[in-house]
Amino acid sequence: MLFKREKYLSKIRPFYHTDMIKVISGIRRCGKSCIMQLIRDEVLASGVPEKDIIYLDLDKRSNKSVKTPELLEEKIDSLIKDDDFKYLFIDEVQNVKGFEEIINAFNTDGNISIFLTGSNSYLLSGEIATKLTGRYLEFEIFTLDFSEYMNMKQYLGRSVSGDITAEFNEYIINGGFPKALEYPDMEARRFYTKSVIEEIFNKDIKSNVKIRNRYVFERVQNYVINNFGAAFRVQTLFDYFNKTEKISVKKETLRKYIQILANAKIIYECPRFDCKSRKSLSGEQKYYLADLSIYFMTVTDNRINYGPALENLIYLYLRNSGYSVSVGRIGKLECDFIVRRTNDYRYIQVAMTIAERETEEREYRPFYQIRDNYPKYLLTLDPLLQERDGVVHKNIIQVLSENLLL
């Protein structure tokens, strides 16, 4: 039995029996393979004979030799026994360089529903983006959100505290990699997260780009991880390495390394957006982590800096809810997040608490500069919520544990 992540299955389910290629993407070990196995099980349960389902896990030892498009085609052909409609599942398809041509050919021939998983942005770059334009749908999977984390703990028979705040703090530190929940202590969970990042470097990064100086790359990686949620320019990073660390590195190299981390889905770039001009801004950027455990694997204590941690969780929650997310600039002020679906906007401020009057005024100030009537939200950990000037005040733990839509 696999833990059922219904929030993703419900998005993919309408396309099970169509000829649209379904691409399931996300950082390694976020649960893509389990979701694809659940889809296969649901297809079987719908009455499809087992002979019409082809499932290839390219990370398995038995498929390690399948490294070329020709061998992939041979493998698939060897498993097709008749002309009935087929369901083709390929896990970690990026292990085959040039897989796009073969997938495109099977899709063009028709009479097949194709499901693919991949761990990085290279999966949807280059040829596949051009050859399969309009013929594939991407479903991005994230690590466990807080509600899934709590449900999976119960599913695994782990004890759940009656103190929801304590559980929330534990979740921030442990993160949401599903496999990590199976380990009994914090040290083992951190070691597991570290092994995931190492696996990403060896399988997703080294195979796609050349890292001339791994030491510098790892320092850039650690810098970005340790400064998640903070706005910075490449110039700041350049000064840090060249002046503080006395490491000679070019700005172009720094930009390249940051993009590599984003392509590997270790970090997400949150662009800046001008509320008045409705245009994206270049320059300063913010980066959020695919999972907060990536940060805690680099530190030696468990102290939580709630500011960036809460922003990170809300960023992932919003992305997972289908919103396009940006950091908002309103004149000289900043709104933590502006989220969009087509022309529908939401403005969101995130803070640990507004118990102090000065903090409350600071968090409300950007809202007063917004002249339209789109909804405005203030998300905090405060147990007592207030109504003020049309701003909706919500408790972050309640929002995340109950999957409340904004």
Side-chain angles (χ1 to χ4, degrees):
M1 293 290 290
L2 296 169
F3 177 69
K4 200 166 186 178
R5 301 181 71 181
E6 180 60 28
K7 67 189 303 178
Y8 297 110
L9 293 172
S10 63
K11 295 176 184 177
I12 307 170
R13 198 172 283 128
F15 305 97
Y16 282 4
H17 309 289
T18 72
D19 60 0
M20 292 290 289
I21 297 171
K22 281 69 67 177
V23 179
I24 303 169
S25 66
I27 188 172
R28 279 190 180 268
R29 307 304 170 191
C30 69
K32 301 183 301 299
S33 299
C34 289
I35 287 173
M36 196 153 79
Q37 290 173 42
L38 287 165
I39 293 171
R40 179 194 59 187
D41 293 345
E42 290 193 355
V43 169
L44 274 170
S46 72
V48 174
E50 193 160 355
K51 71 177 182 65
D52 293 331
I53 294 179
I54 301 163
Y55 196 100
L56 293 175
D57 181 351
L58 296 182
D59 264 353
K60 276 195 171 181
R61 188 163 60 89
S62 58
N63 293 320
K64 284 293 184 183
S65 62
V66 182
K67 293 295 185 183
T68 67
E70 294 75 21
L71 289 173
L72 178 61
E73 184 176 21
E74 284 180 24
K75 185 75 172 182
I76 296 170
D77 281 336
S78 70
L79 297 170
I80 295 178
K81 305 301 183 184
D82 54 43
D83 294 329
D84 292 344
F85 191 91
K86 303 300 178 187
Y87 295 81
L88 173 62
F89 298 85
I90 306 180
D91 200 2
E92 300 299 354
V93 71
Q94 81 274 353
N95 288 0
V96 176
K97 297 296 183 183
F99 70 88
E100 300 93 341
E101 185 177 349
I102 299 305
I103 296 301
N104 182 60
F106 276 106
N107 183 252
T108 300
D109 288 348
N111 207 38
I112 194 167
S113 178
I114 300 174
F115 301 80
L116 311 173
T117 77
S119 301
N120 56 62
S121 294
Y122 300 106
L123 178 69
L124 292 175
S125 64
E127 285 191 80
I128 195 170
T130 54
K131 286 187 176 180
L132 304 182
T133 299
R135 302 170 70 180
Y136 72 86
L137 297 168
E138 182 186 11
F139 300 92
E140 187 164 17
I141 310 302
F142 297 85
T143 58
L144 299 171
D145 63 25
F146 183 50
S147 64
E148 290 179 315
Y149 173 86
M150 293 292 286
N151 290 333
M152 190 168 182
K153 280 189 73 172
Q154 296 179 50
Y155 174 83
L156 294 173
R158 301 284 299 279
S159 60
V160 177
S161 166
D163 184 347
I164 191 71
T165 300
E167 290 286 352
F168 183 69
N169 287 335
E170 182 185 89
Y171 166 68
I172 289 177
I173 295 170
N174 289 339
F177 283 110
K179 185 74 175 176
L181 268 175
E182 298 179 17
Y183 297 106
D185 60 72
M186 188 175 298
E187 191 64 30
R189 289 191 287 269
R190 288 183 175 176
F191 184 80
Y192 172 76
T193 300
K194 191 173 183 179
S195 72
V196 171
I197 300 304
E198 187 68 21
E199 182 182 16
I200 290 170
F201 181 84
N202 289 325
K203 292 186 176 180
D204 294 334
I205 294 176
K206 278 174 61 176
S207 61
N208 287 286
V209 293
K210 286 186 177 180
I211 304 293
R212 296 186 183 279
N213 189 327
R214 180 166 179 178
Y215 173 77
V216 172
F217 175 79
E218 289 180 346
R219 294 302 298 267
V220 172
Q221 176 177 276
N222 288 340
Y223 183 94
V224 176
I225 288 173
N226 281 282
N227 290 277
F228 75 95
F232 71 87
R233 298 174 180 269
V234 172
Q235 180 66 47
T236 306
L237 199 56
F238 177 80
D239 291 340
Y240 171 77
F241 279 102
N242 286 273
K243 296 179 181 179
T244 305
E245 293 288 328
K246 306 300 181 184
I247 298 173
S248 179
V249 57
K250 296 178 180 178
K251 289 182 185 178
E252 293 74 17
T253 302
L254 295 174
R255 290 191 185 96
K256 175 187 174 183
Y257 286 173
I258 292 171
Q259 189 58 53
I260 287 170
L261 294 171
N263 287 340
K265 296 186 179 290
I266 294 172
I267 61 172
Y268 292 101
E269 179 184 314
C270 190
R272 295 166 69 240
F273 183 80
D274 187 89
C275 295
K276 293 183 178 180
S277 66
R278 291 285 192 259
K279 293 181 180 179
S280 295
L281 300 169
S282 59
E284 255 185 8
Q285 300 294 345
K286 279 191 177 184
Y287 295 91
Y288 293 101
L289 302 176
D291 192 85
L292 284 174
S293 67
I294 296 171
Y295 167 74
F296 283 100
M297 78 173 188
T298 68
V299 297
T300 56
D301 60 44
N302 300 326
R303 287 177 293 182
I304 300 172
N305 186 345
Y306 281 98
L310 296 176
E311 277 189 31
N312 206 110
L313 292 179
I314 295 300
Y315 172 82
L316 295 176
Y317 161 78
L318 293 168
R319 284 286 307 277
N320 213 345
S321 300
Y323 286 107
S324 173
V325 186
S326 304
V327 176
R329 190 183 76 177
I330 314 162
K332 295 182 179 180
L333 300 176
E334 185 178 280
C335 180
D336 289 332
F337 297 119
I338 299 176
V339 299
R340 290 167 283 168
R341 280 198 187 119
T342 60
N343 290 320
D344 182 27
Y345 293 81
R346 300 283 188 277
Y347 301 99
I348 298 169
Q349 288 283 84
V350 181
M352 179 181 175
T353 178
I354 55 168
E356 295 184 3
R357 187 69 175 179
E358 182 181 347
T359 306
E360 178 182 340
E361 294 303 319
R362 185 183 69 240
E363 297 300 329
Y364 272 87
R365 198 171 295 128
F367 293 138
Y368 298 143
Q369 302 299 316
I370 299 170
R371 303 304 179 191
D372 60 47
N373 294 316
Y374 290 113
K376 303 174 183 66
Y377 293 88
L378 175 60
L379 307 180
T380 74
L381 293 179
D382 295 312
L384 298 178
L385 307 178
Q386 67 177 4
E387 294 183 14
R388 173 178 167 180
D389 302 325
V391 175
V392 180
H393 186 192
K394 288 183 177 289
N395 177 271
I396 291 173
I397 297 178
Q398 184 181 15
V399 167
L400 297 180
S401 63
E402 298 178 16
N403 271 318
L404 300 179
L405 290 177
L406 301 182

